[in-house]
Amino acid sequence: MIELTGYTLTLEQMELILYKGKKVVLNADALERVKKSREAVNRIVENDKTVYGINTGFGKFSDVKIDEKDTKALQLHLIRSHACGVGEPFTERVSRAMVVLRLNALLKGFSGIRVEVLERFAFMVNNGIHPVIPQQGSLGASGDLAPLSHLALVLVGEGYVWRDGGHIPAKQVWEEFGLEPIVLEAKEGLALINGTQAMTAQGVVNYLEAEKLAYDSEWIAAMTMEALHGITDAFHPAIHEARGYKEQEDVAFRMLNWLEDSQLTTKQGEMRVQDAYSIRCIPQVHGASWQVLSYVKEKLEIELNAATDNPLIFEDGEVVVSGGNFHGQPIAFAMDFLKIGIAELANISERRIERLVNPQLNEGLPPFLSSQPGLQSGAMILQYSAASLVSENKTLAHPASVDSIPSSGNQEDHVSMGTIGARHAQQIIANARKVLAIEALCAMTGCKFRGTEKMAPKTREQLEGLRQIVKPIEEDRIFGPDIERIADYLNKK
Protein backbone atom coordinates (compact mmCIF):
# COMPACT_ATOMS: atom_id res chain seq x y z
CA MET A 1 0.00 0.00 0.00
CA ILE A 2 1.07 3.59 -0.60
CA GLU A 3 1.21 5.69 2.58
CA LEU A 4 -0.10 9.21 2.09
CA THR A 5 1.41 11.89 4.32
CA GLY A 6 0.57 15.10 2.49
CA TYR A 7 4.27 15.69 1.83
CA THR A 8 5.89 12.68 0.15
CA LEU A 9 3.73 11.57 -2.80
CA THR A 10 5.71 10.96 -6.02
CA LEU A 11 4.85 10.39 -9.65
CA GLU A 12 6.21 6.87 -9.36
CA GLN A 13 3.74 6.18 -6.53
CA MET A 14 0.94 7.75 -8.55
CA GLU A 15 1.77 5.40 -11.40
CA LEU A 16 1.38 2.43 -9.06
CA ILE A 17 -1.96 3.74 -7.78
CA LEU A 18 -3.32 4.59 -11.22
CA TYR A 19 -1.99 1.74 -13.37
CA LYS A 20 -1.36 -1.09 -10.91
CA GLY A 21 -4.35 -0.56 -8.61
CA LYS A 22 -2.27 0.02 -5.49
CA LYS A 23 -4.29 1.02 -2.44
CA VAL A 24 -3.55 3.83 0.00
CA VAL A 25 -3.19 4.14 3.76
CA LEU A 26 -3.29 7.38 5.76
CA ASN A 27 -0.26 8.36 7.82
CA ALA A 28 -0.97 8.57 11.57
CA ASP A 29 0.95 11.83 12.11
CA ALA A 30 -0.94 13.40 9.23
CA LEU A 31 -4.25 12.43 10.81
CA GLU A 32 -3.20 14.13 14.04
CA ARG A 33 -2.48 17.32 12.11
CA VAL A 34 -5.91 17.06 10.50
CA LYS A 35 -7.59 16.66 13.91
CA LYS A 36 -5.88 19.75 15.30
CA SER A 37 -6.84 21.78 12.27
CA ARG A 38 -10.45 20.68 12.65
CA GLU A 39 -10.47 21.63 16.31
CA ALA A 40 -9.41 25.12 15.27
CA VAL A 41 -12.39 25.40 12.94
CA ASN A 42 -14.73 24.24 15.67
CA ARG A 43 -13.40 26.96 17.98
CA ILE A 44 -13.93 29.61 15.31
CA VAL A 45 -17.55 28.52 14.86
CA GLU A 46 -18.21 28.34 18.62
CA ASN A 47 -16.70 31.78 19.23
CA ASP A 48 -18.62 33.28 16.31
CA LYS A 49 -15.43 34.71 14.85
CA THR A 50 -15.89 35.84 11.25
CA VAL A 51 -13.58 33.89 8.97
CA TYR A 52 -13.92 33.56 5.19
CA GLY A 53 -15.37 30.24 4.05
CA ILE A 54 -16.21 29.07 7.56
CA ASN A 55 -19.10 31.38 8.36
CA THR A 56 -19.19 33.72 5.36
CA GLY A 57 -20.36 33.46 1.78
CA PHE A 58 -17.94 32.76 -1.06
CA GLY A 59 -16.27 34.77 -3.80
CA LYS A 60 -18.05 38.11 -4.15
CA PHE A 61 -20.27 37.07 -1.21
CA SER A 62 -17.30 36.90 1.16
CA ASP A 63 -18.65 39.86 3.18
CA VAL A 64 -21.96 38.10 3.92
CA LYS A 65 -21.99 36.63 7.46
CA ILE A 66 -23.67 33.22 7.87
CA ASP A 67 -25.40 32.13 11.10
CA GLU A 68 -23.97 29.09 12.88
CA LYS A 69 -27.21 27.15 12.35
CA ASP A 70 -26.78 27.54 8.58
CA THR A 71 -23.15 26.43 8.24
CA LYS A 72 -24.00 22.88 7.13
CA ALA A 73 -26.51 24.12 4.58
CA LEU A 74 -23.91 26.63 3.37
CA GLN A 75 -21.46 23.83 2.50
CA LEU A 76 -24.07 21.76 0.65
CA HIS A 77 -25.32 24.79 -1.29
CA LEU A 78 -21.72 25.51 -2.25
CA ILE A 79 -21.14 22.03 -3.68
CA ARG A 80 -24.42 21.91 -5.56
CA SER A 81 -24.18 25.40 -7.04
CA HIS A 82 -20.57 24.96 -8.13
CA ALA A 83 -21.17 21.58 -9.85
CA CYS A 84 -21.45 23.25 -13.26
CA GLY A 85 -19.12 20.98 -15.22
CA VAL A 86 -20.17 20.10 -18.75
CA GLY A 87 -19.02 17.94 -21.62
CA GLU A 88 -17.46 14.51 -21.69
CA PRO A 89 -16.18 13.24 -18.34
CA PHE A 90 -12.53 12.88 -17.45
CA THR A 91 -11.37 9.29 -17.79
CA GLU A 92 -11.82 7.02 -14.82
CA ARG A 93 -8.04 7.02 -14.32
CA VAL A 94 -7.96 10.82 -14.10
CA SER A 95 -10.90 10.72 -11.69
CA ARG A 96 -9.00 8.28 -9.47
CA ALA A 97 -5.98 10.57 -9.58
CA MET A 98 -8.15 13.52 -8.57
CA VAL A 99 -9.44 11.72 -5.46
CA VAL A 100 -5.91 10.70 -4.43
CA LEU A 101 -4.51 14.19 -4.93
CA ARG A 102 -7.31 15.93 -3.05
CA LEU A 103 -6.89 13.47 -0.20
CA ASN A 104 -3.14 13.98 -0.06
CA ALA A 105 -3.46 17.78 -0.06
CA LEU A 106 -5.97 17.74 2.79
CA LEU A 107 -3.69 15.46 4.84
CA LYS A 108 -1.26 18.35 5.22
CA GLY A 109 -3.51 19.61 8.02
CA PHE A 110 -4.07 23.20 6.89
CA SER A 111 -7.68 22.83 5.73
CA GLY A 112 -9.84 22.26 8.80
CA ILE A 113 -11.57 19.14 7.48
CA ARG A 114 -12.65 16.17 9.61
CA VAL A 115 -10.73 12.89 9.63
CA GLU A 116 -13.85 10.92 8.66
CA VAL A 117 -14.08 12.82 5.38
CA LEU A 118 -10.53 11.84 4.50
CA GLU A 119 -11.16 8.25 5.56
CA ARG A 120 -14.09 8.17 3.15
CA PHE A 121 -11.79 9.42 0.38
CA ALA A 122 -9.36 6.60 1.16
CA PHE A 123 -12.26 4.14 1.09
CA MET A 124 -13.18 5.43 -2.37
CA VAL A 125 -9.63 4.92 -3.66
CA ASN A 126 -9.30 1.46 -2.15
CA ASN A 127 -12.68 0.27 -3.42
CA GLY A 128 -12.54 1.79 -6.89
CA ILE A 129 -15.26 4.38 -6.32
CA HIS A 130 -14.42 7.00 -8.91
CA PRO A 131 -16.63 10.07 -9.44
CA VAL A 132 -17.91 10.99 -12.89
CA ILE A 133 -16.43 14.45 -13.43
CA PRO A 134 -17.16 16.56 -16.54
CA GLN A 135 -14.03 17.94 -18.20
CA GLN A 136 -15.19 21.45 -19.07
CA GLY A 137 -16.06 24.35 -16.80
CA SER A 138 -12.91 25.19 -14.86
CA LEU A 139 -11.03 28.48 -15.14
CA GLY A 140 -8.13 27.06 -13.16
CA ALA A 141 -8.24 29.63 -10.36
CA SER A 142 -10.30 29.72 -7.18
CA GLY A 143 -9.39 26.10 -7.65
CA ASP A 144 -10.82 23.70 -10.18
CA LEU A 145 -14.21 24.57 -8.74
CA ALA A 146 -16.56 22.82 -11.15
CA PRO A 147 -14.65 19.50 -11.46
CA LEU A 148 -13.93 19.25 -7.74
CA SER A 149 -17.57 20.03 -6.93
CA HIS A 150 -18.61 17.00 -8.97
CA LEU A 151 -16.07 14.99 -6.99
CA ALA A 152 -17.50 16.30 -3.72
CA LEU A 153 -21.07 15.49 -4.82
CA VAL A 154 -20.27 11.81 -4.53
CA LEU A 155 -19.29 12.21 -0.89
CA VAL A 156 -22.70 13.69 -0.07
CA GLY A 157 -24.56 10.98 -1.97
CA GLU A 158 -25.26 12.94 -5.14
CA GLY A 159 -23.75 12.80 -8.59
CA TYR A 160 -22.50 9.65 -10.30
CA VAL A 161 -19.61 7.19 -10.15
CA TRP A 162 -17.98 4.95 -12.74
CA ARG A 163 -19.13 1.31 -12.87
CA ASP A 164 -18.10 -1.16 -15.59
CA GLY A 165 -17.52 1.60 -18.11
CA GLY A 166 -20.87 3.25 -17.35
CA HIS A 167 -22.29 5.51 -14.63
CA ILE A 168 -24.45 4.77 -11.60
CA PRO A 169 -25.82 7.12 -8.90
CA ALA A 170 -23.45 7.72 -5.98
CA LYS A 171 -26.27 7.09 -3.51
CA GLN A 172 -26.60 3.54 -4.85
CA VAL A 173 -22.91 2.88 -4.24
CA TRP A 174 -23.07 3.97 -0.60
CA GLU A 175 -26.13 1.78 -0.10
CA GLU A 176 -24.26 -1.20 -1.55
CA PHE A 177 -21.44 -0.69 0.94
CA GLY A 178 -23.84 -0.03 3.83
CA LEU A 179 -22.53 3.50 4.34
CA GLU A 180 -24.29 6.83 4.78
CA PRO A 181 -23.29 9.82 2.63
CA ILE A 182 -21.09 12.39 4.34
CA VAL A 183 -22.84 15.42 5.86
CA LEU A 184 -20.46 18.33 5.38
CA GLU A 185 -19.77 20.69 8.27
CA ALA A 186 -18.26 24.17 8.47
CA LYS A 187 -15.40 24.84 6.03
CA GLU A 188 -15.48 21.33 4.55
CA GLY A 189 -17.23 22.11 1.28
CA LEU A 190 -14.79 24.88 0.52
CA ALA A 191 -11.83 22.69 1.52
CA LEU A 192 -12.98 20.05 -0.94
CA ILE A 193 -13.32 22.26 -4.01
CA ASN A 194 -10.57 24.87 -3.62
CA GLY A 195 -7.55 23.34 -5.32
CA THR A 196 -5.76 22.48 -8.55
CA GLN A 197 -6.44 18.75 -8.46
CA ALA A 198 -8.33 18.52 -11.78
CA MET A 199 -5.53 20.05 -13.85
CA THR A 200 -2.90 18.25 -11.77
CA ALA A 201 -4.64 14.87 -12.02
CA GLN A 202 -4.89 15.20 -15.80
CA GLY A 203 -1.32 16.50 -15.74
CA VAL A 204 -0.07 13.41 -13.89
CA VAL A 205 -1.67 11.07 -16.43
CA ASN A 206 -0.34 13.29 -19.23
CA TYR A 207 3.17 13.12 -17.87
CA LEU A 208 3.16 9.35 -17.37
CA GLU A 209 1.86 8.79 -20.90
CA ALA A 210 4.20 11.38 -22.42
CA GLU A 211 7.25 9.89 -20.72
CA LYS A 212 6.48 6.46 -22.15
CA LEU A 213 5.82 7.93 -25.57
CA ALA A 214 9.16 9.74 -25.50
CA TYR A 215 10.95 6.45 -24.85
CA ASP A 216 8.92 4.71 -27.55
CA SER A 217 9.77 7.45 -30.03
CA GLU A 218 13.43 6.47 -29.78
CA TRP A 219 13.16 2.82 -30.80
CA ILE A 220 10.68 3.78 -33.52
CA ALA A 221 13.16 6.38 -34.81
CA ALA A 222 15.90 3.74 -34.63
CA MET A 223 13.85 1.44 -36.89
CA THR A 224 13.40 4.32 -39.31
CA MET A 225 17.15 4.87 -39.33
CA GLU A 226 17.68 1.25 -40.30
CA ALA A 227 15.08 1.47 -43.06
CA LEU A 228 16.87 4.57 -44.42
CA HIS A 229 20.47 3.38 -43.90
CA GLY A 230 20.94 6.19 -41.38
CA ILE A 231 24.39 7.38 -40.32
CA THR A 232 25.13 6.58 -36.68
CA ASP A 233 28.18 8.88 -36.45
CA ALA A 234 25.71 11.68 -35.61
CA PHE A 235 25.23 9.98 -32.24
CA HIS A 236 28.93 9.93 -31.31
CA PRO A 237 29.16 10.89 -27.62
CA ALA A 238 31.74 13.62 -28.24
CA ILE A 239 29.28 15.66 -30.31
CA HIS A 240 26.70 15.75 -27.52
CA GLU A 241 29.18 16.24 -24.70
CA ALA A 242 30.46 19.26 -26.63
CA ARG A 243 27.07 20.89 -26.35
CA GLY A 244 26.44 19.97 -22.73
CA TYR A 245 22.74 19.04 -22.46
CA LYS A 246 22.41 15.83 -20.47
CA GLU A 247 19.07 14.93 -22.06
CA GLN A 248 20.61 15.22 -25.53
CA GLU A 249 23.53 13.03 -24.46
CA ASP A 250 21.12 10.47 -23.02
CA VAL A 251 19.08 10.24 -26.22
CA ALA A 252 22.22 9.78 -28.30
CA PHE A 253 23.40 7.04 -25.94
CA ARG A 254 20.07 5.23 -26.12
CA MET A 255 19.93 5.51 -29.91
CA LEU A 256 23.36 3.88 -30.24
CA ASN A 257 22.21 1.21 -27.81
CA TRP A 258 19.10 0.46 -29.88
CA LEU A 259 21.17 0.30 -33.08
CA GLU A 260 24.07 -1.76 -31.72
CA ASP A 261 25.18 -4.47 -34.21
CA SER A 262 22.80 -3.29 -36.92
CA GLN A 263 23.86 -4.22 -40.46
CA LEU A 264 21.49 -1.66 -41.97
CA THR A 265 22.89 1.58 -40.57
CA THR A 266 25.91 3.24 -42.15
CA LYS A 267 28.92 5.39 -41.33
CA GLN A 268 29.50 8.84 -42.79
CA GLY A 269 30.95 8.64 -46.27
CA GLU A 270 29.79 5.09 -46.97
CA MET A 271 26.61 6.13 -48.78
CA ARG A 272 26.51 9.88 -48.04
CA VAL A 273 28.22 12.33 -45.72
CA GLN A 274 25.26 13.32 -43.57
CA ASP A 275 21.54 12.74 -43.05
CA ALA A 276 18.64 15.15 -43.04
CA TYR A 277 17.85 16.90 -39.77
CA SER A 278 14.92 14.62 -38.86
CA ILE A 279 17.48 11.79 -38.65
CA ARG A 280 20.70 13.54 -37.71
CA CYS A 281 19.15 15.77 -35.03
CA ILE A 282 17.15 13.14 -33.15
CA PRO A 283 19.24 13.67 -29.96
CA GLN A 284 18.91 17.44 -30.15
CA VAL A 285 15.16 17.52 -30.79
CA HIS A 286 14.09 14.56 -28.69
CA GLY A 287 16.52 15.67 -26.00
CA ALA A 288 14.87 19.08 -25.85
CA SER A 289 11.50 17.37 -25.36
CA TRP A 290 13.04 15.43 -22.48
CA GLN A 291 14.06 18.77 -20.96
CA VAL A 292 10.40 19.76 -21.11
CA LEU A 293 9.42 16.52 -19.40
CA SER A 294 11.94 17.17 -16.65
CA TYR A 295 10.45 20.61 -16.01
CA VAL A 296 6.91 19.24 -15.97
CA LYS A 297 7.85 16.43 -13.59
CA GLU A 298 9.42 18.88 -11.16
CA LYS A 299 6.33 21.11 -11.07
CA LEU A 300 3.90 18.21 -10.79
CA GLU A 301 5.75 16.65 -7.86
CA ILE A 302 5.59 19.95 -6.00
CA GLU A 303 1.88 20.28 -6.74
CA LEU A 304 1.16 16.69 -5.68
CA ASN A 305 2.07 17.72 -2.14
CA ALA A 306 0.80 21.30 -2.14
CA ALA A 307 -1.85 22.89 0.09
CA THR A 308 -4.04 24.59 -2.50
CA ASP A 309 -7.30 25.51 -0.77
CA ASN A 310 -8.34 28.74 0.94
CA PRO A 311 -8.27 29.91 3.64
CA LEU A 312 -5.43 27.96 5.27
CA ILE A 313 -5.19 27.38 9.00
CA PHE A 314 -1.87 27.70 10.83
CA GLU A 315 -0.61 27.72 14.44
CA ASP A 316 -3.55 25.71 15.85
CA GLY A 317 -6.06 28.16 14.46
CA GLU A 318 -4.43 31.32 15.77
CA VAL A 319 -3.57 32.29 12.19
CA VAL A 320 -6.18 31.80 9.45
CA VAL A 321 -5.10 33.40 6.19
CA SER A 322 -6.93 33.94 2.91
CA GLY A 323 -4.50 33.67 0.03
CA GLY A 324 -4.37 32.32 -3.48
CA ASN A 325 -2.70 28.90 -3.47
CA PHE A 326 -5.61 27.62 -5.54
CA HIS A 327 -4.34 29.60 -8.53
CA GLY A 328 -3.21 27.16 -11.20
CA GLN A 329 -0.58 29.25 -12.96
CA PRO A 330 2.39 26.93 -12.26
CA ILE A 331 0.59 23.89 -13.64
CA ALA A 332 -0.95 25.93 -16.46
CA PHE A 333 2.54 26.88 -17.64
CA ALA A 334 3.76 23.29 -17.22
CA MET A 335 0.90 21.88 -19.29
CA ASP A 336 1.39 24.45 -22.03
CA PHE A 337 5.10 23.60 -22.09
CA LEU A 338 4.28 19.89 -22.23
CA LYS A 339 2.03 20.52 -25.22
CA ILE A 340 4.92 22.05 -27.16
CA GLY A 341 7.41 19.35 -26.18
CA ILE A 342 5.19 16.47 -27.26
CA ALA A 343 3.95 18.25 -30.39
CA GLU A 344 7.58 18.45 -31.51
CA LEU A 345 8.06 14.68 -31.10
CA ALA A 346 5.17 14.29 -33.53
CA ASN A 347 6.48 17.01 -35.88
CA ILE A 348 9.85 15.37 -36.36
CA SER A 349 8.25 11.93 -36.60
CA GLU A 350 6.03 13.10 -39.47
CA ARG A 351 9.13 14.32 -41.32
CA ARG A 352 10.72 10.88 -40.89
CA ILE A 353 7.52 9.32 -42.27
CA GLU A 354 7.84 11.55 -45.34
CA ARG A 355 11.40 10.34 -45.86
CA LEU A 356 10.28 6.72 -45.61
CA VAL A 357 7.54 7.01 -48.24
CA ASN A 358 8.94 9.64 -50.65
CA PRO A 359 10.82 7.87 -53.48
CA GLN A 360 13.13 10.85 -53.85
CA LEU A 361 14.19 10.63 -50.21
CA ASN A 362 13.90 7.00 -49.09
CA GLU A 363 17.23 5.63 -50.35
CA GLY A 364 15.83 3.15 -52.86
CA LEU A 365 12.80 1.84 -51.03
CA PRO A 366 9.69 1.35 -53.23
CA PRO A 367 7.67 4.54 -53.79
CA PHE A 368 5.31 4.93 -50.84
CA LEU A 369 6.47 1.48 -49.67
CA SER A 370 4.10 -0.04 -52.24
CA SER A 371 4.68 -3.57 -53.52
CA GLN A 372 3.01 -2.54 -56.80
CA PRO A 373 3.53 1.22 -57.22
CA GLY A 374 0.68 2.80 -59.14
CA LEU A 375 -1.68 -0.16 -58.85
CA GLN A 376 -1.39 0.00 -55.05
CA SER A 377 -0.95 3.27 -53.15
CA GLY A 378 0.90 1.73 -50.21
CA ALA A 379 1.66 4.21 -47.41
CA MET A 380 0.87 7.33 -49.42
CA ILE A 381 -2.13 8.41 -47.33
CA LEU A 382 -0.55 7.32 -44.06
CA GLN A 383 1.64 10.39 -44.40
CA TYR A 384 -1.49 12.50 -45.01
CA SER A 385 -2.94 11.30 -41.72
CA ALA A 386 0.30 12.10 -39.90
CA ALA A 387 0.38 15.56 -41.47
CA SER A 388 -3.22 16.18 -40.39
CA LEU A 389 -2.50 15.14 -36.81
CA VAL A 390 0.58 17.34 -36.43
CA SER A 391 -1.30 20.26 -37.95
CA GLU A 392 -4.08 19.77 -35.40
CA ASN A 393 -1.45 19.66 -32.65
CA LYS A 394 -0.12 23.04 -33.75
CA THR A 395 -3.50 24.63 -33.05
CA LEU A 396 -3.85 22.80 -29.71
CA ALA A 397 -0.32 23.86 -28.70
CA HIS A 398 -1.36 27.51 -28.48
CA PRO A 399 -0.89 28.31 -24.77
CA ALA A 400 -4.10 28.32 -22.76
CA SER A 401 -2.33 30.17 -19.95
CA VAL A 402 -2.05 33.42 -21.91
CA ASP A 403 -5.81 33.84 -21.64
CA SER A 404 -7.81 35.11 -18.66
CA ILE A 405 -11.47 36.07 -18.20
CA PRO A 406 -12.54 37.75 -14.93
CA SER A 407 -15.20 36.00 -12.85
CA SER A 408 -17.23 36.37 -9.63
CA GLY A 409 -18.06 40.02 -10.17
CA ASN A 410 -14.39 40.78 -10.97
CA GLN A 411 -13.28 39.53 -7.55
CA GLU A 412 -11.49 36.70 -9.32
CA ASP A 413 -10.04 38.87 -12.03
CA HIS A 414 -7.11 36.76 -13.26
CA VAL A 415 -7.37 33.03 -13.91
CA SER A 416 -4.94 30.42 -15.23
CA MET A 417 -6.97 28.28 -17.66
CA GLY A 418 -4.70 25.45 -16.51
CA THR A 419 -7.34 22.74 -16.83
CA ILE A 420 -7.88 23.69 -20.47
CA GLY A 421 -4.12 23.42 -21.00
CA ALA A 422 -4.06 19.98 -19.34
CA ARG A 423 -6.95 18.76 -21.49
CA HIS A 424 -5.32 20.02 -24.67
CA ALA A 425 -2.05 18.37 -23.66
CA GLN A 426 -3.89 15.06 -23.38
CA GLN A 427 -5.23 15.51 -26.91
CA ILE A 428 -1.76 16.33 -28.25
CA ILE A 429 -0.30 13.24 -26.60
CA ALA A 430 -3.00 11.05 -28.16
CA ASN A 431 -2.38 12.61 -31.59
CA ALA A 432 1.39 12.27 -31.25
CA ARG A 433 0.99 8.61 -30.33
CA LYS A 434 -0.92 8.01 -33.57
CA VAL A 435 1.78 9.80 -35.58
CA LEU A 436 4.44 7.59 -34.02
CA ALA A 437 2.24 4.57 -34.70
CA ILE A 438 2.25 5.55 -38.38
CA GLU A 439 6.03 5.91 -38.33
CA ALA A 440 6.32 2.49 -36.69
CA LEU A 441 4.18 0.89 -39.41
CA CYS A 442 6.19 2.57 -42.18
CA ALA A 443 9.53 1.79 -40.52
CA MET A 444 8.72 -1.88 -40.03
CA THR A 445 7.68 -2.07 -43.67
CA GLY A 446 10.88 -0.39 -44.76
CA CYS A 447 12.93 -2.80 -42.69
CA LYS A 448 11.05 -5.71 -44.29
CA PHE A 449 12.28 -4.54 -47.70
CA ARG A 450 15.85 -4.15 -46.37
CA GLY A 451 15.85 -7.51 -44.59
CA THR A 452 14.79 -7.80 -40.97
CA GLU A 453 17.59 -10.32 -40.33
CA LYS A 454 20.04 -7.41 -40.74
CA MET A 455 18.38 -5.28 -38.05
CA ALA A 456 19.96 -4.65 -34.67
CA PRO A 457 18.87 -7.32 -32.17
CA LYS A 458 17.04 -4.78 -29.99
CA THR A 459 15.10 -3.11 -32.80
CA ARG A 460 14.28 -6.50 -34.29
CA GLU A 461 12.80 -7.52 -30.95
CA GLN A 462 10.60 -4.41 -31.02
CA LEU A 463 9.57 -5.19 -34.59
CA GLU A 464 8.58 -8.72 -33.59
CA GLY A 465 6.43 -7.25 -30.82
CA LEU A 466 4.68 -5.04 -33.36
CA ARG A 467 4.14 -7.98 -35.71
CA GLN A 468 1.99 -9.60 -33.05
CA ILE A 469 -0.65 -6.93 -33.64
CA VAL A 470 -0.10 -5.68 -37.23
CA LYS A 471 1.66 -6.87 -40.35
CA PRO A 472 4.03 -4.78 -42.45
CA ILE A 473 2.47 -3.32 -45.58
CA GLU A 474 2.39 -6.07 -48.19
CA GLU A 475 -0.64 -4.94 -50.14
CA ASP A 476 -3.22 -2.19 -49.78
CA ARG A 477 -5.64 -2.62 -46.91
CA ILE A 478 -7.67 -0.46 -44.53
CA PHE A 479 -4.89 1.15 -42.49
CA GLY A 480 -6.98 3.11 -39.95
CA PRO A 481 -7.47 0.13 -37.59
CA ASP A 482 -3.73 -0.66 -37.81
CA ILE A 483 -2.88 2.85 -36.62
CA GLU A 484 -5.29 2.54 -33.71
CA ARG A 485 -3.95 -0.89 -32.73
CA ILE A 486 -0.35 0.30 -32.71
CA ALA A 487 -1.32 3.42 -30.75
CA ASP A 488 -3.08 1.25 -28.16
CA TYR A 489 0.01 -0.97 -28.02
CA LEU A 490 2.22 2.05 -27.38
CA ASN A 491 -0.10 3.24 -24.60
CA LYS A 492 0.03 0.00 -22.61
CA LYS A 493 1.83 0.16 -19.24
Side-chain angles (χ1 to χ4, degrees):
M1 297 181 80
I2 306 296
E3 184 178 50
L4 300 180
T5 69
Y7 289 86
T8 56
L9 186 58
T10 66
L11 282 166
E12 286 75 16
Q13 289 175 324
M14 285 299 295
E15 184 170 9
L16 292 173
I17 293 169
L18 299 181
Y19 292 87
K20 306 299 180 183
K22 286 287 186 181
K23 297 184 177 183
V24 300
V25 63
L26 308 183
N27 174 269
D29 291 338
L31 291 177
E32 286 302 313
R33 293 194 300 268
V34 170
K35 288 176 184 177
K36 289 183 178 179
S37 181
R38 183 62 204 177
E39 289 168 1
V41 170
N42 290 338
R43 287 194 300 271
I44 289 168
V45 173
E46 290 166 4
N47 296 332
D48 200 29
K49 182 179 178 182
T50 302
V51 176
Y52 172 70
I54 296 178
N55 48 19
T56 73
F58 309 102
K60 194 66 175 176
F61 292 136
S62 59
D63 294 328
V64 178
K65 180 76 183 301
I66 305 299
D67 291 337
E68 181 180 351
K69 65 181 176 61
D70 293 324
T71 53
K72 290 183 180 179
L74 174 69
Q75 304 306 308
L76 186 56
H77 288 317
L78 174 70
I79 299 303
R80 286 173 173 166
S81 67
H82 284 48
C84 294
V86 295
E88 291 297 311
F90 287 102
T91 66
E92 190 170 359
R93 180 169 289 131
V94 172
S95 174
R96 180 175 178 81
M98 221 179 294
V99 177
V100 174
L101 296 181
R102 198 75 208 106
L103 171 57
N104 192 59
L106 295 171
L107 279 169
K108 295 179 78 72
F110 298 132
S111 303
I113 200 163
R114 287 172 297 153
V115 166
E116 46 263 51
V117 179
L118 304 192
E119 289 174 338
R120 185 63 63 92
F121 266 146
F123 184 89
M124 289 169 64
V125 174
N126 293 339
N127 289 277
I129 301 170
H130 305 138
V132 175
I133 302 170
Q135 291 189 30
Q136 294 172 284
S138 176
L139 295 175
S142 299
D144 282 311
L145 294 175
L148 292 177
S149 294
H150 285 273
L151 183 155
L153 279 178
V154 171
L155 284 174
V156 301
E158 302 182 16
Y160 293 86
V161 300
W162 288 92
R163 173 70 63 83
D164 299 327
H167 309 155
I168 63 171
K171 185 177 181 181
Q172 179 182 329
V173 173
W174 297 133
E175 289 172 353
E176 290 175 4
F177 283 102
L179 296 171
E180 292 294 325
I182 293 290
V183 177
L184 298 177
E185 297 189 356
K187 175 70 165 67
E188 291 184 327
L190 189 59
L192 291 172
I193 70 172
N194 254 183
T196 61
Q197 280 68 42
M199 68 180 79
T200 307
Q202 182 66 71
V204 166
V205 173
N206 288 348
Y207 174 83
L208 294 173
E209 291 188 4
E211 181 187 54
K212 184 178 187 304
L213 190 63
Y215 280 124
D216 287 336
S217 72
E218 293 169 9
W219 63 260
I220 293 170
M223 281 183 16
T224 295
M225 283 201 64
E226 291 187 291
L228 295 175
H229 295 313
I231 301 167
T232 57
D233 298 71
F235 304 147
H236 192 289
I239 296 173
H240 308 287
E241 290 170 7
R243 192 170 194 187
Y245 290 117
K246 182 179 184 302
E247 296 87 353
Q248 177 180 324
E249 294 176 38
D250 290 345
V251 172
F253 174 83
R254 290 194 294 268
M255 291 298 294
L256 287 175
N257 187 46
W258 281 117
L259 293 167
E260 186 177 6
D261 296 329
S262 174
Q263 299 173 49
L264 294 176
T265 56
T266 60
K267 296 292 185 181
Q268 59 186 24
E270 288 182 353
M271 294 182 66
R272 57 193 174 278
V273 175
Q274 60 186 19
D275 284 319
Y277 290 1
S278 61
I279 303 296
R280 194 191 341 160
C281 298
I282 288 170
Q284 289 81 0
V285 177
H286 288 227
S289 290
W290 275 106
Q291 292 170 31
V292 173
L293 286 168
S294 296
Y295 176 89
V296 172
K297 182 177 184 179
E298 176 190 359
K299 302 314 172 194
L300 284 173
E301 290 204 320
I302 292 171
E303 200 74 3
L304 296 185
N305 299 289
T308 54
D309 55 296
N310 178 59
L312 295 176
I313 301 166
F314 305 100
E315 298 181 22
D316 293 332
E318 294 301 316
V319 177
V320 182
V321 184
S322 286
N325 279 4
F326 48 68
H327 202 293
Q329 203 75 14
I331 300 303
F333 283 163
M335 290 299 102
D336 282 342
F337 200 16
L338 180 63
K339 292 192 303 186
I340 295 169
I342 299 305
E344 278 305 295
L345 288 180
N347 281 348
I348 195 171
S349 173
E350 186 275 330
R351 289 294 81 200
R352 292 193 295 263
I353 294 166
E354 170 66 8
R355 303 199 77 80
L356 284 164
V357 304
N358 188 329
Q360 297 182 26
L361 303 173
N362 67 8
E363 304 296 334
L365 289 170
F368 303 104
L369 305 176
S370 174
S371 57
Q372 295 178 293
L375 177 63
Q376 300 197 48
S377 296
M380 181 185 295
I381 310 303
L382 286 171
Q383 186 267 332
Y384 284 43
S385 292
S388 172
L389 290 163
V390 299
S391 184
E392 182 177 324
N393 279 353
K394 290 168 188 175
T395 64
L396 291 168
H398 178 83
S401 57
V402 299
D403 188 27
S404 178
I405 295 178
S407 57
S408 193
N410 223 35
Q411 173 80 355
E412 297 158 8
D413 58 354
H414 180 275
V415 296
S416 75
M417 305 298 185
T419 310
I420 296 173
R423 289 175 44 242
H424 287 177
Q426 188 278 327
Q427 292 176 264
I428 286 175
I429 292 164
N431 289 344
R433 190 182 295 114
K434 289 183 176 69
V435 174
L436 283 158
I438 293 169
E439 183 184 355
L441 179 56
C442 293
M444 70 186 295
T445 302
C447 288
K448 179 202 71 172
F449 284 113
R450 301 296 190 196
T452 56
E453 73 281 356
K454 299 177 184 177
M455 295 176 71
K458 291 174 184 174
T459 54
R460 188 166 64 246
E461 183 181 354
Q462 292 295 327
L463 182 139
E464 292 304 321
L466 282 175
R467 287 178 67 100
Q468 300 302 309
I469 55 170
V470 296
K471 295 179 180 179
I473 301 170
E474 296 170 348
E475 60 181 1
D476 284 356
R477 61 179 190 259
I478 303 171
F479 291 117
D482 291 340
I483 299 168
E484 298 288 356
R485 279 195 291 270
I486 299 173
D488 288 342
Y489 174 77
L490 297 177
N491 198 29
K492 291 287 188 289
K493 280 191 174 289

